[in-house]
Amino acid sequence: MKLPLVIAITSIVQDDEQLVGKENVLLGKLSQSGFPVVPGFVVTKTAYKQFLNENNLPVKIKHLVGTIDVTHADSVKKTRGIIKKFIMQGIMDEAFVSELFSHYAKLEGLVKGARVIVFSPVAKPVITQGEANLILAIKEIWASYASSYPLEKHDLPVITVQHAFPPDLQGEITTDNLLITMQNGEAYTVEKTTLLMHNKTARQQTLSDETLLELAKLALQVKLITYFPQKISWIYSGEKFFITHTRETAADDIVHISSLPQFPVTATKLFTILSQSTQTKEKALLPVDGAILDGLTVEHTDTKKRAEKIMLLASPFSPRPVIYAVASSEPQAIAAELAALSYARNVLQQKHLWVLLPSVKNIADFLALEKLMQHAKLYRSASFQVLIAVDTPEVAFSLEDFLKFLIGGVVLNVPTLTKLFSGTDGASEGKGILWLIERTIQIANAHAIPIFAIGAQGTFLEKSVFLGINGIITHDAIRTKHMISEIERKLFA
């Protein structure tokens, strides 16, 4: 039986999950149940695999990857560039193109020359218009995926294409506790039994209570046909609500209504810090986007037992990422930690685990760690990111050289950097360290690499948020959440 290459959202059924992903199956179910889902279609994993095979790209890509010299960043960059070129120059099957244009034409039937939003879990969403631009957008997502994860055997790219309604407002709502958040910073909760509305921010209310209650009732109706709690993304256009997509949320991912007054909504992500003595389940209930876990070096020497301990600490945060911070400095000890991390991810299925590599002095140190990761069978993928620590001025000044490799994120260690500056030149503790933080954030942002700061307080915290840092790592989540909220309020006022 020939597998479909393109499926309309209204036609997706449960059996299509391997082709379109769980979130699109939910969209299909909602659409068929009469919910106002934004019209669109899905380019399946099969389409990507067929495109590669028809252009003989698996063989070419495998050969290219085999020629990479991991000791030279230019070799990695060059290979990625060639893979992207192969994808962009590849020929799409005529039958696939015809099917694709047929689905796009149905969207054009709604609005002539319809603008569509093209998005995938492996790439940033793009708004485009016209058949040629649609093909270009799809190829760019495929090229981004193939060049980043050339030998990836799981999580093949699924591309969702939806009509791009011009939204008056957009945001999210959870079905479990009816928490409504908006892109403009507004946040509300609705009591399920009384349907009373509570404004959780000091911002002026944009939509009326009656309109927000309409959204809350929509979420409650969604809950009736979905077994697990959902986080629904919505847009408000032409005085109507539309569902763009929805995803399941773990119980620990839900913020309880009784706690909401303590937890303002912020654009800057917040990560908490875990250790072997942490009450993880309690911390998982905090308003955080993930956690960083101090490496396990002494208590458990057996790989399996150490991995089970990692799972015990990390699992309550799933699907939120937990960054495992390697604590060892000696190669043999580092290898043991990476082996346990690999066991936790690949055997115990803790796929939300990332890694923060130990401190490095130069590119040679980094490449040595790369080899240890390969030996541990830890390979970069859409679900596994490799982060580096910026904890010395040398690494900060050389950051652009490190970013030539496949770095998934940067952790800026503010206390360590401040101490180093203070120890060598007390006068540089103020302006010098602030300049270094600013430069590091700007470089990471310029390369579209997520950057987090650990130990940022006072002026450092305010400076980091103003510069657009992606996240803050802290022991005191509630207090820091309030501080970030106040800084953002000033920023967006």
Side-chain angles (χ1 to χ4, degrees):
M1 179 180 175
K2 188 176 181 180
L3 297 175
L5 307 179
V6 186
I7 310 178
I9 289 175
T10 53
S11 301
I12 295 173
V13 295
Q14 187 65 48
D15 289 344
D16 296 323
E17 183 173 334
Q18 293 301 315
L19 300 175
V20 302
K22 184 179 293 185
E23 292 182 9
N24 283 315
V25 168
L26 283 171
L27 278 186
K29 186 175 183 178
L30 292 176
S31 179
Q32 293 161 24
S33 300
F35 286 87
V37 175
V38 175
F41 54 88
V42 178
V43 179
T44 68
K45 298 177 183 180
T46 305
Y48 173 74
K49 292 173 68 175
Q50 176 177 297
F51 174 81
L52 292 184
N53 291 331
E54 288 176 344
N55 289 275
N56 197 32
L57 294 183
V59 175
K60 294 179 181 179
I61 291 173
K62 186 175 181 179
H63 172 73
L64 277 171
V65 172
T67 64
I68 293 177
D69 182 354
V70 296
T71 63
H72 290 85
D74 289 342
S75 176
V76 177
K77 184 177 180 181
K78 182 180 179 181
T79 301
R80 293 183 67 182
I82 295 173
I83 293 174
K84 282 186 176 182
K85 186 177 180 180
F86 282 158
I87 298 290
M88 299 307 295
Q89 293 181 346
I91 305 299
M92 285 184 170
D93 176 69
E94 289 185 8
F96 167 65
V97 173
S98 177
E99 188 178 355
L100 182 68
F101 288 172
S102 175
H103 281 83
Y104 179 62
K106 293 176 183 177
L107 295 185
E108 282 195 310
L110 300 173
V111 179
K112 187 61 180 175
R115 298 172 75 230
V116 293
I117 182 166
V118 184
F119 59 93
S120 171
V122 300
K124 293 181 179 179
V126 175
I127 294 179
T128 190
Q129 185 175 19
E131 293 176 344
N133 288 329
L134 175 59
I135 285 181
L136 182 63
I138 290 170
K139 279 190 170 184
E140 285 178 344
I141 290 176
W142 284 351
S144 175
Y145 178 87
S147 60
S148 298
Y149 316 113
L151 298 180
E152 182 71 22
K153 297 180 180 179
H154 305 286
D155 301 325
L156 295 178
V158 172
I159 300 176
T160 306
V161 181
Q162 288 180 298
H163 181 73
F165 287 115
D168 301 316
L169 283 170
Q170 55 188 319
E172 295 181 330
I173 182 171
T174 57
T175 62
D176 189 71
N177 57 13
L178 298 183
L179 169 63
I180 301 171
T181 56
M182 299 185 188
Q183 198 173 48
N184 65 3
E186 294 179 49
Y188 306 89
T189 55
V190 181
E191 293 183 15
K192 292 181 183 178
T193 53
T194 63
L195 292 182
L196 290 176
M197 184 75 56
H198 300 282
N199 190 331
K200 294 302 173 184
T201 62
R203 294 179 179 274
Q204 184 175 354
Q205 188 167 324
T206 305
L207 298 177
S208 66
D209 283 357
E210 291 77 11
T211 304
L212 292 172
L213 285 175
E214 181 184 336
L215 176 61
K217 291 175 181 177
L218 179 66
L220 288 174
Q221 291 171 342
V222 169
K223 186 177 181 180
L224 291 175
I225 66 168
T226 56
Y227 183 77
F228 294 102
Q230 303 291 316
K231 180 176 285 187
I232 303 168
S233 294
W234 55 265
I235 62 171
Y236 185 69
S237 179
E239 299 184 350
K240 292 182 179 180
F241 285 105
F242 296 90
I243 297 171
T244 57
H245 60 277
T246 181
R247 69 174 179 86
E248 290 180 5
T249 54
D252 289 341
D253 198 27
I254 300 297
V255 179
H256 295 284
I257 293 177
S258 60
S259 305
L260 277 169
Q262 304 175 39
F263 304 153
V265 178
T266 62
T268 307
K269 294 184 181 300
L270 192 66
F271 279 56
T272 189
I273 299 174
L274 306 177
S275 64
Q276 296 187 53
S277 59
T278 299
Q279 297 295 321
T280 309
K281 290 185 178 180
E282 293 179 6
K283 281 212 167 187
L285 295 176
L286 293 172
V288 294
D289 301 281
I292 186 167
L293 170 60
D294 292 337
L296 310 182
T297 57
V298 179
E299 183 180 344
H300 300 287
T301 55
D302 178 80
T303 297
K304 182 180 177 182
K305 289 183 178 179
R306 187 181 290 184
E308 289 172 345
K309 180 65 174 180
I310 292 173
M311 181 179 70
L312 180 67
L313 293 168
S315 60
F317 283 83
S318 179
R320 292 168 292 176
V322 173
I323 305 169
Y324 180 88
V326 178
S328 304
S329 56
E330 296 299 323
Q332 186 174 354
I334 293 172
E337 286 193 66
L338 293 176
L341 178 62
S342 178
Y343 192 98
R345 274 188 56 84
N346 300 322
V347 179
L348 303 180
Q349 295 299 304
Q350 300 299 298
K351 295 297 186 181
H352 61 301
L353 282 166
W354 297 354
V355 66
L356 172 63
L357 297 177
S359 180
V360 295
K361 297 178 181 178
N362 48 50
I363 296 295
D365 288 349
F366 172 76
L367 293 174
L369 293 173
E370 281 274 1
K371 291 181 178 179
L372 291 177
M373 282 200 302
Q374 291 177 14
H375 183 73
K377 293 182 171 57
L378 286 170
Y379 306 114
R380 291 173 176 80
S381 71
S383 67
F384 181 62
Q385 300 298 331
V386 177
L387 292 80
I388 63 169
V390 176
D391 50 9
T392 66
E394 291 78 12
V395 175
F397 291 134
S398 306
L399 184 58
E400 287 187 289
D401 293 331
F402 285 97
L403 296 184
K404 292 177 182 177
F405 297 87
L406 298 177
I407 302 298
V410 173
V411 175
L412 189 62
N413 193 321
V414 176
T416 302
L417 286 170
T418 303
K419 184 177 180 180
L420 288 172
F421 264 75
S422 175
T424 57
D425 181 6
S428 67
E429 186 175 358
K431 292 183 178 180
I433 184 62
L434 285 172
W435 172 83
L436 188 64
I437 289 173
E438 179 175 353
R439 180 181 183 275
T440 305
I441 294 174
Q442 289 174 341
I443 290 174
N445 287 340
H447 287 78
I449 300 296
I451 180 167
F452 306 87
I454 187 169
Q457 301 179 19
T459 303
F460 295 134
L461 177 62
E462 185 169 2
K463 185 79 169 177
S464 298
V465 173
F466 266 92
L467 288 170
I469 201 161
N470 296 90
I472 299 295
I473 301 170
T474 178
H475 280 288
D476 193 346
I478 295 176
R479 178 173 171 271
T480 305
K481 190 78 168 177
H482 279 287
M483 294 173 68
I484 292 173
S485 176
E486 182 61 23
I487 295 168
E488 289 185 355
R489 187 186 64 80
K490 295 177 183 177
L491 181 61
F492 298 122

